[in-house]
Amino acid sequence: MSANRFNSHRNLGIGIGLRSPHISHILANWPDVNWFEIISENYMLDGGRPLYVLDQILERYPVVQHGVGLYVGSAQGLDHEHLRRTKTLVRRTQTPWLTDHLCWGSVDGKVSHDLLPLPYTREAADVAVRNIRAARAFLEVPFVVENVSSYAEFRESTMTEWEFLTEVVEAADAGILLDVNNIYVSSINHGFDPMTYLENIPHERVAQIHIAGHARYQRFVIDTHDHPVVDPVWRLYARAIELCGPTPTLLEWDANIPPFARVHAEARKAARYWPRIRQRDQERLAHAG
Amino acid sequence: MQAESQLHDVQARFLAALREPIFGDSRDRSALPARPGSVSATFTSTANDLITPSATLQPEERLELYHRQYWYRLLDSIEEDFPALRMLLGRASFWRLVEEYLVAAPPTSFTLRHLGASLADFIAAHPRLTPHPVQAQDVARLEYALRSAFEAGESPAIAASELAFASIALQPHVHLLALRTGADTLWRRCERGQSRGRLSPATARASRFVAVYRQSHDLRVERLPRAAFEILSAIDQSHSLDAAMDRVLAIPGLLRRRDSERVKRWFATWTAAGWFRRADHGPTPSSDNRRSP
């Protein structure tokens, strides 16, 4: 289940996000990282240092593209210029799969630069399905949608988020980037059981898993990606691995970013839940000792 | 399409609420709820019409979370891209200017990198919004030129031997600025962590000429003699070395016969830096190190 057609049958193991504060360390040391995830829009440039760095990374590591701007939930459809930019980058990175969010973010040419929640309605599902199919056809790479964290729910919703996600990915024949931190954040903000969410999605479509930290306030939780992963999220992750099998996993740490070693160590905690990786780590430790 | 127009209406109302200005307590990131009166009646009705309450937050509070995220993201991005402008204007004036700008020119690009694209023009059109409008405009132009140079493409450089015969232009990452103030000096002071220092008055016409460009992935700001600036500008406009030199030599007092060696040295420097490309080669994505499919 873990290596499937939505991740090109490539189980890349545990990876981390490629972030500017770590670039010097990576280029100097070429650390033992299985793969990197990049934010696609950060590399939609005509030239300059980011592309130079990306090409150096691509020589040595698999890179998976993660977009934040396709807005497959936008009522007005996809931005074709953005699709073209995405495809240009896909050709450069040879990403084995492409992820973006099940959300919207622009209307009438105005862009929010946020991942805004959708009402869980038949109409919204139809829009998302149409947009995802169009994106998939144009980009010619497995297309995977991520569940977003949210702080608002719509009065007109007629289904749960997990029902909506399931409906969309099955109708669009897309994969799922299962963000267990987002499930946890949303479960606190909206008052549902995160395990119910986890257990009621099509696990055979899960191509990748995200883990991350968040910021907890008295009356709400914000998906900040600036803390270590907390135990409830690790419990969700463990259950996700049980349900989906060992799945390419990516730690997102995007703000207040600590040194590379700290972030890498946090990501590798996911190995606790992977029987074969745990064994390989133990063998490495034995050899190193 | 009626159902999808309903989704469009929901999204339009939601985004319109986010774009309402954020001022006062909200800007200072105080705890929810926002102070009464800090959002409009339209914002409140949008929240109540569209959003359910949760066990801990009312609809207006839930929408306010997104409202603040929208503004904090934009304001943080602008502050990161225009540090010298912030130093020039001071905190309060900077934020007032930026908020007015973002209300008038909300983001339309896929990337936050382009957020300040029209800030200099906005300052020029609204001089009363800042205490030092001419300086502010120059600094904004320079700092956005740095943003542009950061991501601009680069075509194969043209050899010195071909300059006289080819149709030539500047590389897309080379930006030429004619300034009425010491904006480049201010920028350098900011880069070095120094204080703003005393501001010289703006001149009536352009008196400083600057090139902003990229070299070996680093961004550079370099002052140019006026003659050098005019030569480079003329080349980029005419695409011909001969036409450019004819144009510049026609400017009274700008170049003399004895300047020929100096001009040769300029061209040697510019061609060595790869500043010139063929004009019929449009800017291309970075061609070096590109992986073949």
Side-chain angles (χ1 to χ4, degrees):
Chain A
M1 267 195 294
S2 56
N4 52 49
R5 61 190 175 96
F6 302 108
N7 54 33
S8 298
H9 300 278
R10 293 187 64 181
N11 195 340
L12 298 180
I14 298 165
I16 62 173
L18 184 66
R19 298 293 179 266
S20 297
H22 298 154
I23 295 298
S24 298
H25 172 86
I26 294 167
L27 296 183
N29 298 285
W30 302 117
D32 183 17
V33 175
N34 292 324
W35 59 288
F36 287 103
E37 182 184 82
I38 62 168
I39 303 298
S40 299
E41 284 73 9
N42 290 345
Y43 297 91
M44 291 178 182
L45 311 160
D46 290 329
R49 181 174 169 78
L51 288 178
Y52 165 79
V53 168
L54 177 61
D55 288 337
Q56 303 299 302
I57 299 290
L58 286 166
E59 292 289 338
R60 291 166 174 81
Y61 302 97
V63 167
V64 175
Q65 275 180 235
H66 182 53
V68 297
L70 270 177
Y71 299 139
V72 296
S74 284
Q76 293 173 306
L78 298 172
D79 180 333
H80 291 280
E81 192 52 44
H82 198 62
L83 269 179
R84 277 188 283 276
R85 280 190 289 265
T86 302
K87 187 157 190 175
T88 297
L89 190 61
V90 166
R91 287 188 178 131
R92 191 183 199 109
T93 65
Q94 298 289 289
T95 183
W97 66 90
L98 177 75
T99 65
D100 209 311
H101 301 78
L102 185 53
C103 73
W104 67 284
S106 70
V107 175
D108 299 329
K110 311 287 190 303
V111 183
S112 69
H113 292 288
D114 202 344
L115 309 172
L116 300 176
L118 286 161
Y120 303 132
T121 63
R122 170 77 47 220
E123 294 80 10
D126 289 346
V127 165
V129 168
R130 186 168 63 245
N131 290 337
I132 291 169
R133 283 182 181 157
R136 229 182 66 228
F138 183 81
L139 296 169
E140 298 179 297
V141 67
F143 196 89
V144 178
V145 288
E146 178 181 351
N147 57 296
V148 296
S149 57
S150 62
Y151 318 113
E153 296 172 291
F154 289 89
R155 292 188 184 277
E156 62 176 315
S157 291
T158 56
M159 57 184 99
T160 64
E161 183 184 336
W162 50 94
E163 289 170 339
F164 182 80
L165 174 64
T166 298
E167 173 123 358
V168 167
V169 295
E170 288 186 344
D173 197 22
I176 296 174
L177 166 47
L178 188 68
D179 192 309
V180 293
N181 178 63
N182 286 351
I183 292 176
Y184 180 76
V185 167
S186 295
S187 75
I188 300 295
N189 289 331
H190 307 321
F192 63 78
D193 180 355
M195 286 295 180
T196 302
Y197 191 128
L198 202 51
E199 289 165 2
N200 287 279
I201 56 159
H203 306 114
E204 71 280 5
R205 290 183 178 272
V206 175
Q208 182 187 336
I209 298 175
H210 267 172
I211 52 177
H214 54 259
R216 185 134 192 178
Y217 297 87
Q218 191 174 0
R219 294 189 290 147
F220 53 88
V221 180
I222 300 288
D223 181 31
T224 50
H225 295 180
D226 64 351
H227 286 80
V229 181
V230 296
D231 286 345
V233 177
W234 281 127
R235 284 195 287 274
L236 281 175
Y237 179 72
R239 184 65 180 134
I241 294 297
E242 285 175 4
L243 292 168
C244 307
T247 300
T249 298
L250 194 286
L251 170 70
E252 296 183 294
W253 202 320
D254 304 327
N256 299 323
I257 302 173
F260 177 87
R262 174 76 182 88
V263 174
H264 196 201
E266 185 70 11
R268 289 207 58 79
K269 289 180 185 176
R272 293 181 291 198
Y273 309 98
W274 289 48
R276 271 193 240 153
I277 287 179
R278 194 166 57 232
Q279 181 185 348
R280 191 165 68 229
D281 276 354
Q282 287 167 353
E283 288 169 358
R284 277 185 183 153
L285 281 172
H287 281 294
Chain B
M1 299 296 279
Q2 184 180 5
E4 288 160 14
S5 71
Q6 289 173 357
L7 181 62
H8 172 265
D9 288 345
V10 166
Q11 294 177 348
R13 287 185 72 185
F14 197 104
L15 186 53
L18 304 193
R19 290 179 46 215
E20 285 198 9
I22 185 166
F23 298 118
D25 288 351
S26 289
R27 189 202 302 159
D28 291 331
R29 309 182 193 217
S30 61
L32 293 174
R35 191 165 56 92
S38 62
V39 291
S40 69
T42 303
F43 183 98
T44 301
S45 68
T46 295
N48 289 331
D49 289 347
L50 299 184
I51 298 171
T52 61
S54 72
T56 56
L57 293 178
Q58 292 303 306
E60 185 178 305
E61 293 174 308
R62 302 181 102 184
L63 187 59
E64 180 65 7
L65 288 174
Y66 286 101
H67 184 218
R68 291 185 189 180
Q69 282 196 153
Y70 173 82
W71 278 99
Y72 296 159
R73 185 171 287 115
L74 300 189
L75 294 174
D76 287 349
S77 181
I78 283 268
E79 184 180 24
E80 195 174 315
D81 286 348
F82 293 89
L85 183 62
R86 188 183 191 281
M87 184 173 82
L88 170 70
L89 299 179
R91 185 177 185 272
S93 293
F94 177 78
W95 288 128
R96 190 163 52 245
L97 167 69
V98 166
E99 284 162 1
E100 294 286 345
Y101 168 67
L102 290 172
V103 169
T108 56
S109 169
F110 74 97
T111 176
L112 287 167
R113 299 189 302 270
H114 301 161
L115 200 55
S118 53
L119 181 57
D121 289 342
F122 183 80
I123 294 168
H126 302 86
R128 292 183 189 276
L129 279 178
T130 74
H132 310 287
V134 180
Q135 285 90 344
Q137 188 184 351
D138 274 357
V139 170
R141 287 172 61 210
L142 190 151
E143 292 195 291
Y144 194 72
L146 285 161
R147 292 293 94 220
S148 294
F150 172 78
E151 64 176 275
E154 187 160 10
S155 299
I158 196 166
S161 57
E162 298 178 81
L163 281 178
F165 311 106
S167 177
I168 57 178
L170 295 179
Q171 294 284 7
H173 65 80
V174 179
H175 295 262
L176 303 175
L177 302 173
L179 306 174
R180 292 170 53 196
T181 70
D184 57 326
T185 300
L186 185 77
W187 176 79
R188 275 186 225 290
R189 295 185 69 85
C190 182
E191 282 281 290
R192 293 169 187 158
Q194 297 169 335
S195 64
R196 190 184 77 173
R198 205 159 58 93
L199 294 178
S200 302
T203 54
R205 308 178 97 168
S207 56
R208 289 197 185 192
F209 305 91
V210 166
V212 175
Y213 60 99
R214 195 175 68 225
Q215 185 169 345
S216 301
H217 309 301
D218 294 326
L219 299 173
R220 303 280 173 91
V221 177
E222 182 177 310
R223 198 174 294 177
L224 299 172
R226 187 193 162 196
F229 174 88
E230 297 290 352
I231 290 170
L232 290 168
S233 298
I235 285 174
D236 210 34
Q237 290 162 19
S238 66
H239 301 314
S240 159
L241 179 59
D242 280 348
M245 294 309 300
D246 285 346
R247 190 184 298 188
V248 174
L249 287 167
I251 301 175
L254 190 60
L255 278 177
R256 294 182 176 79
R257 197 180 294 276
R258 65 173 181 262
D259 292 323
S260 60
E261 285 304 310
R262 195 159 67 121
V263 173
K264 281 184 191 172
R265 285 197 297 274
W266 291 342
F267 273 95
T269 300
W270 298 333
T271 49
W275 279 21
F276 300 117
R277 61 176 174 90
R278 292 187 185 282
D280 49 4
H281 279 189
T284 58
S286 174
S287 57
D288 54 302
N289 296 322
R290 183 197 270 189
R291 284 161 57 100
S292 53

